[in-house]
Amino acid sequence: MALVSMTALMNHALENRYAVGYFESWNMESILAVVDAAERTNSPVIIGFGGQFIGSKKRAIKENIHHYGYLGKAIAMQSKVPVALLLNEAHTVDLLIKGLHSGFNAVMYESHDLSFEEFTNVNRYLVKTAHFLGAAVEAEIGQLPDSDISNNTISKGEKTDPDLAAHFVESTGIDALAVSVGNVHLLESGHAELDFELIRCLRKKIKVPLVLHGGTGIAEDDLKEAVDLGMCKVNVGTVLKRVYLKHIQCYLKKNDVDHMDPHNVIGRGGEADMLCGAREAIAEAVVKFIKIIGSENKAHLI
Ligand SMILES: [Zn+2]
């Protein structure tokens, strides 16, 4: 299968009452794990990287977004299922434009500092550029609260205003709208309380596919109901890093790596390879979500 448009994946999901998952990666084995899971379940999938991480000014080693774009595109093009490639939540337009030129076929800009008018203008420009290059644009109206596990707090968010969101979609021409309906970014412990009435209202007023971020922190039944009400893309990130870390932590507790051949621990790819196990842990988590959101066995229908 080739790289497929994110809009095509979302529209198929919307018409057939399931959601396609965006599973955020950070390196080679984490992105391969997502495709492993999608191929195993014959599911369409959106792969990609977090722009706020890759492009962060605080990053110890400055990254080149082209490396991530070319890598993601190569993986998408070799996959057996339809795959879209998203550069998610980047904080600069420059990074997104570079991303569009290096293989990403979907982008999302994030800023909490701009006025509504400025934010609209940036997205209008992005839509023009992305559409010219055959790519899609997602944007969020409202603001998801952020969970912070280090001090057990959740920041104050702002739910999506349906009229404002409808106006924004009309005036920018974006392809997908991320909404704030009780979902929480980075939430791991406990479950977000989704506002199903608001989801219903948004589905009626908004003409483009709706996206639910913060998939990790939503209870299985709530996620199913949200999809049933018309959410056709669900973002999952935090839990993938958690299971990856857990696997490495357990491995290092169980094995005396100082007395092991390092090639067996990393790189040989055998039974004892720590990173193969970590990749498998991610794939298992992704499979679980694919089943919940209903995209299993939909790949061949697209
Ligand atoms: Zn998000």
Side-chain angles (χ1 to χ4, degrees), residues 229-251:
L229 293 175
M231 284 290 168
C232 50
K233 172 173 173 272
V234 173
N235 281 25
V236 177
T238 311
V239 68
L240 308 182
K241 285 180 176 162
R242 182 60 68 200
V243 296
Y244 184 82
L245 282 173
K246 274 267 170 253
H247 178 82
I248 291 174
Q249 189 182 38
C250 288
Y251 184 97

PDB file of all heavy atoms in Angstrom, residues 229-251:
ATOM      1  N   LEU A 229     -20.662   8.209  18.270  1.00  0.00           N
ATOM      2  CA  LEU A 229     -21.281   9.528  18.061  1.00  0.00           C
ATOM      3  C   LEU A 229     -20.609  10.327  16.939  1.00  0.00           C
ATOM      4  O   LEU A 229     -20.993  11.445  16.657  1.00  0.00           O
ATOM      5  CB  LEU A 229     -21.260  10.337  19.357  1.00  0.00           C
ATOM      6  CG  LEU A 229     -22.136   9.801  20.486  1.00  0.00           C
ATOM      7  CD1 LEU A 229     -21.923  10.617  21.760  1.00  0.00           C
ATOM      8  CD2 LEU A 229     -23.610   9.834  20.096  1.00  0.00           C
ATOM      9  N   GLY A 230     -19.571   9.740  16.341  1.00  0.00           N
ATOM     10  CA  GLY A 230     -19.007  10.393  15.156  1.00  0.00           C
ATOM     11  C   GLY A 230     -17.558  10.852  15.230  1.00  0.00           C
ATOM     12  O   GLY A 230     -17.068  11.501  14.312  1.00  0.00           O
ATOM     13  N   MET A 231     -16.847  10.524  16.309  1.00  0.00           N
ATOM     14  CA  MET A 231     -15.405  10.823  16.342  1.00  0.00           C
ATOM     15  C   MET A 231     -14.736   9.880  15.358  1.00  0.00           C
ATOM     16  O   MET A 231     -14.894   8.661  15.482  1.00  0.00           O
ATOM     17  CB  MET A 231     -14.842  10.526  17.739  1.00  0.00           C
ATOM     18  CG  MET A 231     -15.186  11.556  18.749  1.00  0.00           C
ATOM     19  SD  MET A 231     -14.294  13.071  18.378  1.00  0.00           S
ATOM     20  CE  MET A 231     -15.171  14.161  19.478  1.00  0.00           C
ATOM     21  N   CYS A 232     -13.995  10.390  14.397  1.00  0.00           N
ATOM     22  CA  CYS A 232     -13.440   9.426  13.444  1.00  0.00           C
ATOM     23  C   CYS A 232     -11.921   9.377  13.420  1.00  0.00           C
ATOM     24  O   CYS A 232     -11.347   8.670  12.613  1.00  0.00           O
ATOM     25  CB  CYS A 232     -14.030   9.613  12.064  1.00  0.00           C
ATOM     26  SG  CYS A 232     -13.976  11.264  11.532  1.00  0.00           S
ATOM     27  N   LYS A 233     -11.280  10.074  14.365  1.00  0.00           N
ATOM     28  CA  LYS A 233      -9.832   9.896  14.553  1.00  0.00           C
ATOM     29  C   LYS A 233      -9.562  10.011  16.049  1.00  0.00           C
ATOM     30  O   LYS A 233     -10.078  10.931  16.703  1.00  0.00           O
ATOM     31  CB  LYS A 233      -9.058  10.959  13.774  1.00  0.00           C
ATOM     32  CG  LYS A 233      -7.565  10.994  14.052  1.00  0.00           C
ATOM     33  CD  LYS A 233      -6.848  11.966  13.105  1.00  0.00           C
ATOM     34  CE  LYS A 233      -5.393  12.170  13.460  1.00  0.00           C
ATOM     35  NZ  LYS A 233      -5.182  13.254  14.443  1.00  0.00           N
ATOM     36  N   VAL A 234      -8.782   9.078  16.580  1.00  0.00           N
ATOM     37  CA  VAL A 234      -8.445   9.105  18.002  1.00  0.00           C
ATOM     38  C   VAL A 234      -6.923   9.131  18.126  1.00  0.00           C
ATOM     39  O   VAL A 234      -6.231   8.337  17.484  1.00  0.00           O
ATOM     40  CB  VAL A 234      -9.021   7.869  18.733  1.00  0.00           C
ATOM     41  CG1 VAL A 234      -8.526   7.819  20.171  1.00  0.00           C
ATOM     42  CG2 VAL A 234     -10.549   7.884  18.703  1.00  0.00           C
ATOM     43  N   ASN A 235      -6.405  10.082  18.918  1.00  0.00           N
ATOM     44  CA  ASN A 235      -4.955  10.194  19.114  1.00  0.00           C
ATOM     45  C   ASN A 235      -4.516   9.477  20.380  1.00  0.00           C
ATOM     46  O   ASN A 235      -5.101   9.687  21.449  1.00  0.00           O
ATOM     47  CB  ASN A 235      -4.556  11.667  19.257  1.00  0.00           C
ATOM     48  CG  ASN A 235      -4.480  12.383  17.934  1.00  0.00           C
ATOM     49  OD1 ASN A 235      -5.125  11.996  16.965  1.00  0.00           O
ATOM     50  ND2 ASN A 235      -3.679  13.431  17.890  1.00  0.00           N
ATOM     51  N   VAL A 236      -3.478   8.667  20.235  1.00  0.00           N
ATOM     52  CA  VAL A 236      -2.945   7.917  21.373  1.00  0.00           C
ATOM     53  C   VAL A 236      -1.431   8.110  21.393  1.00  0.00           C
ATOM     54  O   VAL A 236      -0.767   7.902  20.372  1.00  0.00           O
ATOM     55  CB  VAL A 236      -3.281   6.415  21.239  1.00  0.00           C
ATOM     56  CG1 VAL A 236      -2.652   5.629  22.387  1.00  0.00           C
ATOM     57  CG2 VAL A 236      -4.788   6.197  21.202  1.00  0.00           C
ATOM     58  N   GLY A 237      -0.897   8.521  22.533  1.00  0.00           N
ATOM     59  CA  GLY A 237       0.554   8.707  22.608  1.00  0.00           C
ATOM     60  C   GLY A 237       1.126   8.221  23.917  1.00  0.00           C
ATOM     61  O   GLY A 237       1.946   7.305  23.957  1.00  0.00           O
ATOM     62  N   THR A 238       0.649   8.818  25.007  1.00  0.00           N
ATOM     63  CA  THR A 238       1.253   8.609  26.323  1.00  0.00           C
ATOM     64  C   THR A 238       1.426   7.131  26.692  1.00  0.00           C
ATOM     65  O   THR A 238       2.490   6.711  27.139  1.00  0.00           O
ATOM     66  CB  THR A 238       0.388   9.308  27.396  1.00  0.00           C
ATOM     67  OG1 THR A 238       0.134  10.641  26.952  1.00  0.00           O
ATOM     68  CG2 THR A 238       1.087   9.350  28.727  1.00  0.00           C
ATOM     69  N   VAL A 239       0.389   6.336  26.482  1.00  0.00           N
ATOM     70  CA  VAL A 239       0.451   4.935  26.907  1.00  0.00           C
ATOM     71  C   VAL A 239       1.541   4.168  26.156  1.00  0.00           C
ATOM     72  O   VAL A 239       2.120   3.213  26.691  1.00  0.00           O
ATOM     73  CB  VAL A 239      -0.935   4.249  26.748  1.00  0.00           C
ATOM     74  CG1 VAL A 239      -1.320   4.097  25.290  1.00  0.00           C
ATOM     75  CG2 VAL A 239      -0.954   2.885  27.427  1.00  0.00           C
ATOM     76  N   LEU A 240       1.857   4.599  24.938  1.00  0.00           N
ATOM     77  CA  LEU A 240       2.871   3.881  24.157  1.00  0.00           C
ATOM     78  C   LEU A 240       4.258   4.080  24.770  1.00  0.00           C
ATOM     79  O   LEU A 240       5.056   3.145  24.858  1.00  0.00           O
ATOM     80  CB  LEU A 240       2.855   4.350  22.695  1.00  0.00           C
ATOM     81  CG  LEU A 240       1.483   4.315  22.016  1.00  0.00           C
ATOM     82  CD1 LEU A 240       1.599   4.749  20.568  1.00  0.00           C
ATOM     83  CD2 LEU A 240       0.854   2.921  22.105  1.00  0.00           C
ATOM     84  N   LYS A 241       4.514   5.311  25.226  1.00  0.00           N
ATOM     85  CA  LYS A 241       5.791   5.561  25.908  1.00  0.00           C
ATOM     86  C   LYS A 241       5.813   4.823  27.247  1.00  0.00           C
ATOM     87  O   LYS A 241       6.840   4.313  27.676  1.00  0.00           O
ATOM     88  CB  LYS A 241       6.006   7.058  26.113  1.00  0.00           C
ATOM     89  CG  LYS A 241       6.387   7.748  24.798  1.00  0.00           C
ATOM     90  CD  LYS A 241       6.620   9.232  24.953  1.00  0.00           C
ATOM     91  CE  LYS A 241       7.081   9.809  23.611  1.00  0.00           C
ATOM     92  NZ  LYS A 241       6.950  11.242  23.518  1.00  0.00           N
ATOM     93  N   ARG A 242       4.667   4.766  27.905  1.00  0.00           N
ATOM     94  CA  ARG A 242       4.594   4.084  29.206  1.00  0.00           C
ATOM     95  C   ARG A 242       4.912   2.589  29.068  1.00  0.00           C
ATOM     96  O   ARG A 242       5.723   2.059  29.822  1.00  0.00           O
ATOM     97  CB  ARG A 242       3.190   4.303  29.817  1.00  0.00           C
ATOM     98  CG  ARG A 242       3.007   3.688  31.168  1.00  0.00           C
ATOM     99  CD  ARG A 242       3.968   4.218  32.209  1.00  0.00           C
ATOM    100  NE  ARG A 242       3.727   5.609  32.561  1.00  0.00           N
ATOM    101  CZ  ARG A 242       4.649   6.399  33.140  1.00  0.00           C
ATOM    102  NH1 ARG A 242       5.847   5.952  33.433  1.00  0.00           N
ATOM    103  NH2 ARG A 242       4.353   7.658  33.423  1.00  0.00           N
ATOM    104  N   VAL A 243       4.308   1.906  28.099  1.00  0.00           N
ATOM    105  CA  VAL A 243       4.553   0.451  27.982  1.00  0.00           C
ATOM    106  C   VAL A 243       5.989   0.180  27.525  1.00  0.00           C
ATOM    107  O   VAL A 243       6.592  -0.820  27.920  1.00  0.00           O
ATOM    108  CB  VAL A 243       3.530  -0.268  27.063  1.00  0.00           C
ATOM    109  CG1 VAL A 243       2.124  -0.178  27.634  1.00  0.00           C
ATOM    110  CG2 VAL A 243       3.574   0.232  25.631  1.00  0.00           C
ATOM    111  N   TYR A 244       6.530   1.068  26.726  1.00  0.00           N
ATOM    112  CA  TYR A 244       7.919   0.953  26.259  1.00  0.00           C
ATOM    113  C   TYR A 244       8.875   1.041  27.455  1.00  0.00           C
ATOM    114  O   TYR A 244       9.740   0.199  27.656  1.00  0.00           O
ATOM    115  CB  TYR A 244       8.161   2.094  25.269  1.00  0.00           C
ATOM    116  CG  TYR A 244       9.488   2.156  24.574  1.00  0.00           C
ATOM    117  CD1 TYR A 244       9.744   1.381  23.447  1.00  0.00           C
ATOM    118  CD2 TYR A 244      10.488   3.040  24.999  1.00  0.00           C
ATOM    119  CE1 TYR A 244      10.954   1.480  22.770  1.00  0.00           C
ATOM    120  CE2 TYR A 244      11.690   3.143  24.328  1.00  0.00           C
ATOM    121  CZ  TYR A 244      11.919   2.367  23.208  1.00  0.00           C
ATOM    122  OH  TYR A 244      13.108   2.480  22.540  1.00  0.00           O
ATOM    123  N   LEU A 245       8.647   2.076  28.288  1.00  0.00           N
ATOM    124  CA  LEU A 245       9.470   2.264  29.481  1.00  0.00           C
ATOM    125  C   LEU A 245       9.340   1.088  30.441  1.00  0.00           C
ATOM    126  O   LEU A 245      10.324   0.608  31.002  1.00  0.00           O
ATOM    127  CB  LEU A 245       9.048   3.541  30.220  1.00  0.00           C
ATOM    128  CG  LEU A 245       9.534   4.853  29.640  1.00  0.00           C
ATOM    129  CD1 LEU A 245       8.892   6.014  30.386  1.00  0.00           C
ATOM    130  CD2 LEU A 245      11.053   4.947  29.747  1.00  0.00           C
ATOM    131  N   LYS A 246       8.105   0.639  30.633  1.00  0.00           N
ATOM    132  CA  LYS A 246       7.841  -0.485  31.557  1.00  0.00           C
ATOM    133  C   LYS A 246       8.625  -1.720  31.117  1.00  0.00           C
ATOM    134  O   LYS A 246       9.198  -2.423  31.937  1.00  0.00           O
ATOM    135  CB  LYS A 246       6.347  -0.821  31.575  1.00  0.00           C
ATOM    136  CG  LYS A 246       5.553  -0.001  32.546  1.00  0.00           C
ATOM    137  CD  LYS A 246       5.435  -0.724  33.899  1.00  0.00           C
ATOM    138  CE  LYS A 246       4.851   0.187  34.955  1.00  0.00           C
ATOM    139  NZ  LYS A 246       5.749   0.674  35.957  1.00  0.00           N
ATOM    140  N   HIS A 247       8.597  -1.978  29.802  1.00  0.00           N
ATOM    141  CA  HIS A 247       9.293  -3.159  29.306  1.00  0.00           C
ATOM    142  C   HIS A 247      10.789  -3.056  29.587  1.00  0.00           C
ATOM    143  O   HIS A 247      11.409  -4.006  30.073  1.00  0.00           O
ATOM    144  CB  HIS A 247       9.067  -3.358  27.797  1.00  0.00           C
ATOM    145  CG  HIS A 247       9.825  -4.533  27.278  1.00  0.00           C
ATOM    146  ND1 HIS A 247       9.348  -5.825  27.389  1.00  0.00           N
ATOM    147  CD2 HIS A 247      11.060  -4.631  26.739  1.00  0.00           C
ATOM    148  CE1 HIS A 247      10.258  -6.649  26.915  1.00  0.00           C
ATOM    149  NE2 HIS A 247      11.297  -5.955  26.508  1.00  0.00           N
ATOM    150  N   ILE A 248      11.370  -1.887  29.316  1.00  0.00           N
ATOM    151  CA  ILE A 248      12.816  -1.711  29.525  1.00  0.00           C
ATOM    152  C   ILE A 248      13.162  -1.806  31.019  1.00  0.00           C
ATOM    153  O   ILE A 248      14.132  -2.450  31.416  1.00  0.00           O
ATOM    154  CB  ILE A 248      13.284  -0.369  28.908  1.00  0.00           C
ATOM    155  CG1 ILE A 248      13.180  -0.482  27.380  1.00  0.00           C
ATOM    156  CG2 ILE A 248      14.692  -0.009  29.338  1.00  0.00           C
ATOM    157  CD1 ILE A 248      13.460   0.801  26.631  1.00  0.00           C
ATOM    158  N   GLN A 249      12.297  -1.212  31.838  1.00  0.00           N
ATOM    159  CA  GLN A 249      12.503  -1.257  33.296  1.00  0.00           C
ATOM    160  C   GLN A 249      12.505  -2.711  33.802  1.00  0.00           C
ATOM    161  O   GLN A 249      13.393  -3.112  34.549  1.00  0.00           O
ATOM    162  CB  GLN A 249      11.369  -0.463  33.945  1.00  0.00           C
ATOM    163  CG  GLN A 249      11.516  -0.205  35.412  1.00  0.00           C
ATOM    164  CD  GLN A 249      10.286   0.551  35.937  1.00  0.00           C
ATOM    165  OE1 GLN A 249       9.155   0.294  35.527  1.00  0.00           O
ATOM    166  NE2 GLN A 249      10.522   1.495  36.826  1.00  0.00           N
ATOM    167  N   CYS A 250      11.520  -3.489  33.380  1.00  0.00           N
ATOM    168  CA  CYS A 250      11.425  -4.900  33.804  1.00  0.00           C
ATOM    169  C   CYS A 250      12.619  -5.687  33.300  1.00  0.00           C
ATOM    170  O   CYS A 250      13.195  -6.499  34.026  1.00  0.00           O
ATOM    171  CB  CYS A 250      10.158  -5.559  33.252  1.00  0.00           C
ATOM    172  SG  CYS A 250       8.691  -4.976  34.047  1.00  0.00           S
ATOM    173  N   TYR A 251      13.006  -5.432  32.061  1.00  0.00           N
ATOM    174  CA  TYR A 251      14.129  -6.149  31.449  1.00  0.00           C
ATOM    175  C   TYR A 251      15.408  -5.911  32.251  1.00  0.00           C
ATOM    176  O   TYR A 251      16.143  -6.838  32.569  1.00  0.00           O
ATOM    177  CB  TYR A 251      14.308  -5.673  30.005  1.00  0.00           C
ATOM    178  CG  TYR A 251      15.379  -6.411  29.242  1.00  0.00           C
ATOM    179  CD1 TYR A 251      15.058  -7.469  28.400  1.00  0.00           C
ATOM    180  CD2 TYR A 251      16.728  -6.057  29.372  1.00  0.00           C
ATOM    181  CE1 TYR A 251      16.050  -8.157  27.705  1.00  0.00           C
ATOM    182  CE2 TYR A 251      17.718  -6.738  28.688  1.00  0.00           C
ATOM    183  CZ  TYR A 251      17.368  -7.778  27.853  1.00  0.00           C
ATOM    184  OH  TYR A 251      18.347  -8.466  27.176  1.00  0.00           O
TER     185      TYR A 251
END
